[in-house]
Amino acid sequence: HRSNMAANCIRGWRVRKLSGVASQQTDLTFFNNSAHACGFGWHLKPPHAPPTLNTFRNFTAFRCNTGMFYYGTGNIMHEDHRFIECGTGHFQNHLSNGLYTAPFFTDLVVVGNINANEGVSRSGLGSRTPKDSDYFFVSGMVAINYFSTAVLYGCFKTACTMRFERTQWYNSWVRTRSDEYKSGIYWDLDG
């Protein structure tokens, strides 16, 4: 899929496993696409990880309930993604990558409210990272106008580590959220 927009639908973009010859496909090319006012901007369920590394580039989810949802995946890198005023920008249950794989996101932008003068976030959460993986890694994230709403929430079933580097915060004072007895470790690799 290249240079397309999905608008006002239940699932803007959906990847699902196919049977037969189609199940052998390794190239999941996804470039310069967007989803506006969808239930899910991007939806992948059941779990799927292509046998070869794929890179998805330039995706924007604007005012979707969930910008990008993965039940479980691996072997996919995401470059230059934007989740703008989504209920939840990114939501993921499982990650099957190993510790030394490339970042899941590179140059991610999450925006809670495009209008800084309103002083409240229209988004409930920027990214809900995998609940059970120590290998989630984001290289380059900008969080804008979340104000007193948490941007990150992860490892909500176990105490695992999520790694971040090159992170910038603008009008976003609450960076993480944790539940009692269920808290992830947010590791700022830049110190």
Side-chain angles (χ1 to χ4, degrees):
H1 298 290
R2 295 175 175 269
S3 303
N4 293 293
M5 180 179 79
N8 221 15
C9 49
I10 294 171
R11 291 181 185 94
W13 300 98
R14 184 176 188 199
V15 174
R16 56 192 167 102
K17 288 184 181 181
L18 301 175
S19 59
V21 176
S23 68
Q24 304 305 312
Q25 180 180 0
T26 60
D27 178 15
L28 300 177
T29 300
F30 194 77
F31 173 77
N32 196 34
N33 294 294
S34 63
H36 296 230
C38 296
F40 293 95
W42 167 267
H43 187 264
L44 186 140
K45 185 179 181 180
H48 177 66
T52 59
L53 185 64
N54 281 245
T55 303
F56 294 173
R57 291 183 174 91
N58 301 31
F59 176 66
T60 300
F62 179 71
R63 292 188 178 162
C64 295
N65 290 339
T66 300
M68 178 174 277
F69 173 82
Y70 279 107
Y71 184 80
T73 193
N75 249 357
I76 299 175
M77 293 178 10
H78 302 79
E79 294 180 356
D80 191 25
H81 282 41
R82 294 159 302 282
F83 303 124
I84 302 169
E85 292 187 359
C86 294
T88 296
H90 163 254
F91 184 109
Q92 185 165 347
N93 276 335
H94 307 283
L95 179 66
S96 57
N97 286 7
L99 181 58
Y100 297 104
T101 56
F104 191 81
F105 283 114
T106 301
D107 299 328
L108 169 66
V109 176
V110 292
V111 179
N113 192 328
I114 56 176
N115 183 353
N117 294 325
E118 287 185 13
V120 295
S121 176
R122 290 176 179 230
S123 176
L125 194 60
S127 181
R128 186 170 181 164
T129 61
K131 64 182 176 182
D132 56 3
S133 174
D134 271 331
Y135 308 123
F136 190 77
F137 177 30
V138 176
S139 179
M141 182 181 78
V142 178
I144 303 169
N145 297 338
Y146 274 80
F147 305 102
S148 59
T149 300
V151 177
L152 303 171
Y153 177 54
C155 295
F156 50 96
K157 291 286 183 183
T158 62
C160 58
T161 302
M162 297 148 290
R163 300 170 297 143
F164 295 86
E165 68 181 8
R166 301 185 308 114
T167 304
Q168 300 173 50
W169 309 91
Y170 299 97
N171 293 329
S172 300
W173 308 297
V174 180
R175 297 177 179 180
T176 65
R177 179 185 131 199
S178 297
D179 291 334
E180 188 175 4
Y181 306 114
K182 294 177 186 173
S183 178
I185 300 166
Y186 300 91
W187 183 8
D188 179 357
L189 298 173
D190 300 317

